[in-house]
Amino acid sequence: MLESQFLTFMVPIGNRIGLLAQDAVPVEGPAWQQILFNPIGMITILVVLFYVMVLLPERRNRNELTKRLAALKKNDRVVTVGGIHGTIVNITESDKVVIRVDENNNTRLHVNRSAVSRVISDDDDKSVKP
């Protein structure tokens, strides 16, 4: 009894393994079909797409941010990563930026240069105000 149950379980598995062990049917047709249905070709295409769609734009954005942070100067109006608006008062050599937040109390914050997310220009102010 146990032997018959074992055979009924193992025979379909043996048939599946036999199907997997068969040679692949060669793809006949144009060269692009042969490349597309080749696993190495497909992986290569996916790697190239990933590079073009993810890594290149990220590198471009990082370079642009580095240029903007290097171009910071006194009296620039900035917004920090935390959403704090202020005006740059001083930039030290150790990548610290002092921003003035309140004109009346002369409140100043010391933040890292990397905490500045964007510089507000006069054009941005005109588009915000009605």
Side-chain angles (χ1 to χ4, degrees):
M1 168 108 171
L2 183 62
E3 191 174 299
S4 65
Q5 288 177 347
F6 179 74
L7 287 177
T8 57
F9 177 73
M10 290 304 290
V11 169
I13 292 176
N15 290 341
R16 290 185 193 130
I17 292 174
L19 287 175
L20 292 175
Q22 290 179 355
D23 290 337
V25 178
V27 177
E28 295 179 9
W32 66 270
Q33 279 184 346
Q34 292 176 1
I35 292 172
L36 191 61
F37 291 119
N38 182 1
I40 295 173
M42 189 59 107
I43 290 172
T44 304
I45 290 170
L46 289 175
V47 167
V48 168
L49 280 174
F50 179 77
Y51 182 77
V52 169
M53 295 179 75
V54 175
L55 296 179
L56 280 180
E58 183 63 30
R59 181 183 293 171
R60 214 174 293 128
N61 290 342
R62 195 173 345 131
N63 287 342
E64 182 182 321
L65 178 64
T66 304
K67 287 178 186 176
R68 280 190 311 204
L69 292 179
L72 288 177
K73 59 187 182 297
K74 189 175 178 180
N75 294 328
D76 278 347
R77 295 179 48 205
V78 297
V79 178
T80 64
V81 176
I84 298 172
H85 293 252
T87 305
I88 294 179
V89 176
N90 189 14
I91 300 174
T92 63
E93 295 296 323
S94 63
D95 286 338
K96 283 192 178 180
V97 177
V98 180
I99 59 173
R100 184 177 57 236
V101 181
D102 188 15
E103 298 288 333
N104 297 333
N105 297 332
N106 201 20
T107 305
R108 296 176 181 209
L109 296 175
H110 296 263
V111 297
N112 290 336
R113 185 185 294 251
S114 61
V116 175
S117 66
R118 65 185 176 108
V119 177
I120 301 174
S121 64
D122 294 331
D123 298 335
D124 292 341
D125 278 348
K126 291 177 185 175
S127 66
V128 171
K129 292 181 182 177

